Amino acid sequence: MEIILSDVSVMTLPETFSQKQNLCIMFLAALSFAYFSKALSGSYMKSTITQLERRFDIPSYLIGVIDGSFEIGNLLVIAFVSYFGAKLHRPKIIAIGCVLMSFGTFLIAVPHFILGRYKFQSSVRASMNSTTTFGPCPASSAESTQAGCEQESSVSMWIYVFLGNVLRGIGETPVHPLGISYIDDYARSENAALYISCVQTISIIGPVFGYLLGSLCAKIYVDIGYVNMETITITPGDARWVGAWWLGYLIAGAITLMSAVPFWFLPKSLPIPVDKQLNANFTPEQTRFIKDSPSAMEHKFRPEEPANFHQMAKEFVPTLKSLLGSPVYITYLCVTIIQFNSLIGMVTYKPKYIEQHYGKSASKANFLMGMVNIPAVALGMFSGGVVMKKFKLGVMGAAKFAFGTSLLGYFLSLFFFAMGCDNAKVAGITMSYTGVEGLSYQPPSLFSECNSGCLCSGSDWDPVCGENGITYVSPCLAGCTSSTGVFNQCRCVAVTGAGSQPSNLTASLGHCPIRDSCDTMFPYFLFLSVITSFIISLGGTPGFMLLIRCIKPEFKSLALGVHTLATRTLAGIPAPIYFGAVIDTTCLKWGNTPCGRRGACRIYNTTAYRVVYLGLTMGLRTVSFFLCILGFALLRRHVKQEEKIALTNGNVEMEFESLRKEESNNSIHSDQFVRALDCNPDRETRL
């Protein structure tokens, strides 16, 4: 059977339905892959913040600026892409975005191929493989320092990372609003939540691989293949170690480029379920014919109209005013902006928190994030979608479920404050050379009588572990005078010996191992982190569906775009910056560049780090809960109004249906009367 409608091409319904169903599955798969690729590159960026900080010798707040540049890219185009893109060919616009994302990811890796070899700060210049005399006063080279200073005065290479991340943000813009609205337009209402949760769950696999990729690259030295690794005296656990950060960006860029391919072959639209009240431009006769067709019982078709840019631009401002005039939408925006500030700040610096607080390497911290934390988030988001479908949660039900899970996760997160570790024992920083514990941010505290005979530099960071279990900033500051594989005759080791004097005054390269009590605490931290991540993520899908169910269908893409714009502008950009700035205030010892400029932080006050990091995270979530109370009141009023409107429309439809039936009955009686006249043998036929 074929139907011919105005503005619609001739289609065979059974064949078209089957083809469109396959295309729908293809779009779901393509969108999932796009979400996977963008999440992989985004999480890999967060896994490399420590590497970038050390490679470019920049503080945490500047890393926050680089991380927030992704949101700046979104800010530039999100409103226009969300509004105009919804009226154009959405799959092809998503494809263009994926291509831009891949180019931006490749651009981030460019500085590695422009910069020279990485030279870490060290006071050890001789090989440790043979017996050598270690000079207490390292020879300084003004010539090499001047050369390094001249090199540093050139254009800062981190600008390439900044611009690449901006380009990534521009490319990512259409994926979320256009992809989700495309699914919600062409999926049945009861399946939309499950489909979206499936896409978001698959996208969570991206961060798993992103953090695992970050873990792998963090183990590989930055200049692997260009230097003799036997000459590298630092390990991945050292504060100066920089992994092959650039390698992961090349891999992520290639994967993102591949994700663009399927979207070029997808149509502008798919079959629309009958249960969705869309403004199809059909006459009543055409609509009745389609609904009566057996292949159209599940889906109907909407004619594609040519894009009218002038008309779209004319309607943009009134549409935006109407959307922002909704109290429920504005309250939802405020709540999510505050919660996203908390979430983004926490996730961005969580690997660094694990490194600094529990003494883990960057590689291990990224591995734990990818294999332990992220899967819990994925399971929580998927479970939230299943709960919505199984219990058929409405708008109020979804809001209560999301709020309840968030509140429970909040109370459990308070236990993180009790899972603290003491500061590492570092002579001259967290304790004095006489063994008295106490923090010091002043450089003169690095010097003592035991190393006064040496002309040591207070700016060096080349930690050694004394046999007394105390870390010293450098062999010189430990008072060491010679080395035979390990440093010998370290006078300060004897001074800071706990209780009895050590038999040998030796020290070895690297930090002293972290305390056993902290190692015992770490598994409990991981367990609680998994539980809280799962519980909070349970409300992710219901909370997201709450957004698209509280607005008119024609505002859906714009609402998603404005929501993305607002959260990224007011959360994605500032959160990493002010979180990083606050974390910088807890730094105890800064590194220095060849020109004497302050570089990356070498050691933090872990107690203060824990308080400001967790306190800022929990404080923001506390504020959001107060706004939720107002949101519930507005949402309840909104739901009642919608129910009244639905009831009124239902009565009108019932009256219309009864009139239509009455008209149909009258038509039947009239036809019977005419046929009766036709069968009357006494009727005359007149010419």
Side-chain angles (χ1 to χ4, degrees):
M1 178 188 297
E2 294 185 349
I3 60 172
I4 303 178
L5 301 176
S6 59
D7 298 324
V8 182
S9 59
V10 179
M11 296 177 286
T12 304
L13 284 176
E15 295 179 1
T16 302
F17 174 70
S18 176
Q19 293 172 358
K20 293 284 188 177
Q21 205 171 27
N22 293 335
L23 289 173
C24 184
I25 295 173
M26 182 179 176
F27 181 83
L28 284 172
L31 186 65
S32 298
F33 188 36
Y35 263 69
F36 169 83
S37 63
K38 78 181 184 70
L40 183 146
S41 58
S43 58
Y44 183 75
M45 162 63 76
K46 294 190 180 299
S47 75
T48 58
I49 62 171
T50 304
Q51 314 296 318
L52 297 175
E53 185 177 326
R54 296 170 182 171
R55 184 64 182 95
F56 299 110
D57 259 326
I58 52 179
S60 295
Y61 83 89
L62 197 50
I63 284 292
V65 173
I66 294 175
D67 188 68
S69 63
F70 178 85
E71 320 300 345
I72 294 175
N74 267 263
L75 172 63
L76 296 175
V77 296
I78 183 66
F80 299 101
V81 168
S82 299
Y83 181 73
F84 293 105
K87 302 176 184 296
L88 301 174
H89 200 299
R90 284 180 279 187
K92 287 187 177 179
I93 293 177
I94 294 174
I96 295 172
C98 292
V99 172
L100 289 177
M101 273 197 295
S102 68
F103 288 167
T105 308
F106 289 136
L107 181 60
I108 294 175
V110 166
H112 172 74
F113 302 98
I114 299 177
L115 286 170
R117 300 290 166 255
Y118 173 58
K119 297 178 181 179
F120 53 87
Q121 187 184 41
S122 175
S123 60
V124 180
R125 300 169 189 266
S127 174
M128 297 293 293
N129 295 330
S130 60
T131 302
T132 59
T133 300
F134 177 77
C137 304
S140 61
S141 175
E143 184 177 339
S144 62
T145 301
Q146 182 65 25
C149 190
E150 289 176 358
Q151 182 180 5
E152 185 190 27
S153 64
S154 61
V155 179
S156 296
M157 290 294 106
W158 63 264
I159 294 296
Y160 286 91
V161 182
F162 179 88
L163 294 177
N165 215 25
V166 170
L167 191 57
R168 277 188 59 243
I170 293 174
E172 192 267 351
T173 303
V175 178
H176 176 70
L178 301 188
I180 294 299
S181 63
Y182 195 91
I183 289 179
D184 195 63
D185 283 346
Y186 303 120
R188 300 174 72 176
S189 298
E190 63 269 20
N191 292 333
L194 183 61
Y195 291 161
I196 292 175
S197 68
C198 286
V199 171
Q200 292 181 332
T201 301
I202 293 174
S203 73
I204 296 294
I205 300 176
V208 172
F209 282 88
Y211 279 107
L212 291 179
L213 182 61
S215 175
L216 176 63
C217 293
K219 289 181 180 179
I220 305 172
Y221 187 66
V222 59
D223 293 321
I224 185 71
Y226 297 96
V227 296
N228 182 4
M229 292 302 297
E230 293 182 358
T231 64
I232 305 301
T233 59
I234 57 176
T235 63
D238 195 286
R240 296 160 296 170
W241 176 272
V242 175
W245 59 273
W246 52 274
L247 181 60
Y249 287 110
L250 297 181
I251 296 173
I255 294 174
T256 306
L257 188 60
M258 291 170 55
S259 70
V261 175
F263 290 103
W264 295 107
F265 303 99
L266 288 164
K268 182 179 179 181
S269 62
L270 296 175
I272 304 174
V274 174
D275 64 343
K276 298 205 170 180
Q277 303 299 318
L278 299 173
N279 297 322
N281 298 323
F282 296 139
T283 64
E285 290 79 6
Q286 291 171 339
T287 303
R288 192 179 304 116
F289 179 77
I290 294 175
K291 286 185 178 181
D292 291 342
S293 174
S295 296
M297 292 301 291
E298 293 293 330
H299 295 80
K300 62 184 179 182
F301 298 90
R302 174 167 53 183
E304 295 183 10
E305 298 179 354
N308 187 336
F309 289 97
H310 177 72
Q311 184 65 23
M312 287 190 289
K314 187 177 180 181
E315 295 174 354
F316 177 72
V317 174
T319 303
L320 185 62
K321 285 183 178 179
S322 179
L323 176 65
L324 297 180
S326 171
V328 175
Y329 183 72
I330 292 299
T331 306
Y332 183 92
L333 272 183
C334 293
V335 171
T336 52
I337 285 171
I338 295 173
Q339 290 195 343
F340 269 57
N341 269 273
S342 174
L343 177 65
I344 292 172
M346 183 268 293
V347 172
T348 300
Y349 293 101
K350 190 168 186 177
K352 185 172 182 176
Y353 177 78
I354 295 174
E355 292 176 48
Q356 297 296 330
H357 203 74
Y358 296 100
K360 307 301 179 184
S361 67
S363 176
K364 188 167 185 179
N366 290 328
F367 178 81
L368 292 172
M369 284 289 292
M371 290 301 294
V372 178
N373 216 282
I374 302 300
V377 174
L379 182 60
M381 294 184 69
F382 180 76
S383 300
V386 172
V387 168
M388 275 203 73
K389 179 176 174 61
K390 183 174 182 178
F391 296 98
K392 295 181 170 38
L393 297 180
V395 173
M396 283 301 300
K400 292 177 181 178
F401 184 77
F403 178 77
T405 54
S406 181
L407 191 62
L408 179 59
Y410 171 83
F411 286 125
L412 289 176
S413 298
L414 294 175
F415 288 100
F416 284 125
F417 284 99
M419 298 181 176
C421 292
D422 296 332
N423 287 299
K425 291 184 177 182
V426 182
I429 296 180
T430 62
M431 64 183 302
S432 68
Y433 281 89
T434 58
V436 179
E437 295 191 6
L439 299 175
S440 175
Y441 292 81
Q442 304 302 322
S445 63
L446 293 173
F447 303 98
S448 177
E449 184 178 352
C450 62
N451 56 35
S452 60
C454 307
L455 300 179
C456 302
S457 170
S459 62
D460 285 339
W461 179 261
D462 194 18
V464 293
C465 178
E467 62 174 317
N468 55 0
I470 296 174
T471 301
Y472 299 87
V473 172
S474 70
C476 182
L477 289 171
C480 303
T481 58
S482 64
S483 62
T484 54
V486 294
F487 296 99
N488 301 311
Q489 302 303 316
C490 302
R491 294 187 297 270
C492 295
V493 174
V495 175
T496 50
S500 60
Q501 182 172 328
S503 57
N504 298 314
L505 305 180
T506 61
S508 56
L509 277 175
H511 260 284
C512 291
I514 200 165
R515 292 181 177 179
D516 293 338
S517 59
C518 200
D519 281 336
T520 304
M521 183 70 69
F522 186 63
Y524 295 101
F525 168 81
L526 280 183
F527 177 76
L528 185 60
S529 181
V530 169
I531 296 298
T532 53
S533 297
F534 172 77
I535 292 175
I536 293 174
S537 300
L538 275 174
T541 300
F544 186 77
M545 294 305 298
L546 177 64
L547 168 63
I548 61 179
R549 290 288 181 256
C550 287
I551 54 177
K552 296 179 181 179
E554 60 269 24
F555 295 163
K556 194 180 303 176
S557 291
L558 181 61
L560 289 171
V562 171
H563 175 261
T564 304
L565 170 66
T567 53
R568 288 180 170 173
T569 304
L570 302 177
I573 295 175
I577 298 175
Y578 67 75
F579 263 80
V582 171
I583 289 171
D584 281 341
T585 63
T586 67
C587 183
L588 293 172
K589 177 73 169 68
W590 292 93
N592 290 285
T593 65
C595 288
R597 180 178 60 85
R598 193 176 79 172
C601 184
R602 301 306 186 192
I603 184 173
Y604 291 88
N605 178 353
T606 55
T607 302
Y609 194 143
R610 180 177 73 253
V611 171
V612 299
Y613 173 73
L614 296 177
L616 195 53
T617 300
M618 303 301 289
L620 289 169
R621 289 172 63 184
T622 302
V623 174
S624 71
F625 288 140
F626 286 105
L627 282 177
C628 286
I629 298 174
L630 173 63
F632 271 114
L634 294 173
L635 183 61
R636 188 174 290 105
R637 187 177 67 179
H638 172 78
V639 170
K640 288 182 179 179
Q641 289 176 350
E642 291 295 319
E643 289 175 350
K644 288 181 181 179
I645 294 174
L647 183 61
T648 303
N649 292 339
N651 292 335
V652 171
E653 289 179 1
M654 289 177 62
E655 292 179 3
F656 178 79
E657 185 67 21
S658 62
L659 289 174
R660 193 179 68 81
K661 287 182 179 179
E662 183 178 349
E663 181 182 354
S664 177
N665 292 334
N666 291 338
S667 177
I668 293 173
H669 291 317
S670 177
D671 291 342
Q672 291 176 348
F673 178 74
V674 171
R675 283 196 294 270
L677 289 177
D678 290 340
C679 296
N680 190 348
D682 297 333
R683 189 185 62 176
E684 294 183 1
T685 302
R686 299 178 182 270
L687 297 176

